[in-house]
Amino acid sequence: IGSRFGADEGMVGTALTSRRPFLVDDYHDLPYVGEPEVGDAARAALAAPVVWRENALGVLLVASTDPVRRFRRREIELVSELADIAAAALGHSGIAERVEPAIHAQVEALAAALDMRDRRTAQHSEDVVSLARRVGELLDLEPAALLELEYAARLHDVGKLRVPDAVLHKPGPLNDEEFELIKQHPVWGAETLASIAGLEVVATIVRFHHERWDGRGYPDGLDAERIPLASRIITVCDAWGAMLADRPYR
């Protein structure tokens, strides 16, 4: 660890420059032996390049200490597949690091628009975020899933940006026609979020946040485990927040 050697030296250099797997029956037959990870006991060795979109990111190097062991075709294919998986993981990780700030900015912009349109709805969304995060942590959601849950909780009512003011700010109970209009907000919110690269999963969560376990929710009448877990979490937190809030349809 920490050693340096030329990119054109050893098995690593050969695999990097050729962008193809490189195989030797005895590692010590190479004119240059510089990879400290392989060790003095290595015999048969195989190096597979880790390449993502024509960029060489590294090399997956495996070796055997058995002096009669040889790598077969299937093993070469397997190591190459593992290198491809590693390349995709590294590539997507780099993309996520670059894209995530942009996605966060989009989320903040939509949340700000919701705040300007209806401060009460925006405050309710913040309360749902706090509750949903705590539930997600209790359920041991993975970090990525927890972040998607938070984004969806923050923007679960973003579809209300398309609801007319007369309905959104009506001081009394909604009539049947008005309620049917309100019931479209999960669909409108999902449409808005699905148009933003990186928020496709969040859009799905938002679409189903008014479904019910018994299938009597909206807009699609999903039931039980057909409803995404994140949507179910938001449903419960949303209902709890609505019951505590001072609003006409609490």
Side-chain angles (χ1 to χ4, degrees):
I1 296 174
S3 300
R4 293 171 180 263
F5 49 90
D8 59 345
E9 299 175 5
M11 293 191 68
V12 169
T14 303
L16 279 173
T17 54
S18 69
R19 308 291 178 90
R20 298 178 64 181
F22 182 65
L23 177 69
V24 294
D25 290 336
D26 191 331
Y27 181 71
H28 295 277
D29 287 341
L30 289 171
Y32 175 85
V33 180
E35 293 90 352
E37 294 85 353
V38 178
D40 295 334
R43 290 297 180 261
L46 169 63
V50 177
V51 179
W52 174 252
R53 295 181 178 174
E54 300 184 357
N55 294 316
L57 305 179
V59 170
L60 178 59
L61 181 61
V62 297
S64 172
T65 59
D66 185 343
V68 298
R69 173 70 183 273
R70 298 292 181 268
F71 289 108
R72 305 301 178 189
R73 184 179 190 87
R74 176 59 192 142
E75 292 169 320
I76 297 172
E77 292 175 351
L78 177 60
V79 172
S80 297
E81 289 172 4
L82 290 172
D84 289 341
I85 292 171
L90 291 170
H92 286 298
S93 175
I95 290 172
E97 290 175 359
R98 296 192 300 272
V99 171
E100 189 171 311
I103 294 175
H104 184 72
Q106 294 271 24
V107 170
E108 291 299 317
L110 288 171
L114 191 60
D115 191 359
M116 292 177 63
R117 177 74 189 283
D118 183 3
R119 178 56 193 160
R120 183 176 60 189
T121 297
Q123 182 57 56
H124 166 70
S125 294
E126 291 296 332
D127 294 340
V128 174
V129 170
S130 178
L131 286 169
R133 183 190 300 115
R134 289 163 62 189
V135 173
E137 290 171 348
L138 286 170
L139 294 176
D140 292 327
L141 293 187
E142 295 290 333
L146 193 60
L147 181 62
E148 290 167 350
L149 173 63
E150 289 186 32
Y151 282 163
R154 186 96 181 266
L155 299 174
H156 72 278
D157 277 338
V158 73
K160 289 184 178 179
L161 289 172
R162 293 172 58 177
V163 176
D165 284 342
V167 176
L168 188 63
H169 300 300
K170 185 177 179 180
L174 302 176
N175 61 37
D176 290 344
E177 183 178 348
E178 292 165 339
F179 185 54
E180 286 301 316
L181 190 63
I182 282 286
K183 285 166 64 174
Q184 291 301 308
H185 82 270
V187 177
W188 292 336
E191 289 174 352
T192 298
L193 297 173
S195 67
I196 300 172
L199 291 181
E200 295 86 355
V201 174
V202 176
T204 300
I205 297 170
V206 167
R207 179 180 179 94
F208 300 131
H209 80 275
H210 273 294
E211 301 293 352
R212 283 177 34 169
W213 190 258
D214 61 7
R216 296 171 60 190
Y218 59 87
D220 298 298
L222 300 185
D223 65 350
E225 293 182 353
R226 294 174 62 203
I227 308 168
L229 176 60
S231 300
R232 284 181 262 155
I233 293 172
I234 293 175
T235 299
V236 173
C237 297
D238 185 27
W240 176 256
M243 284 185 281
L244 293 180
D246 183 18
R247 60 188 191 185
Y249 48 97
R250 62 186 296 179

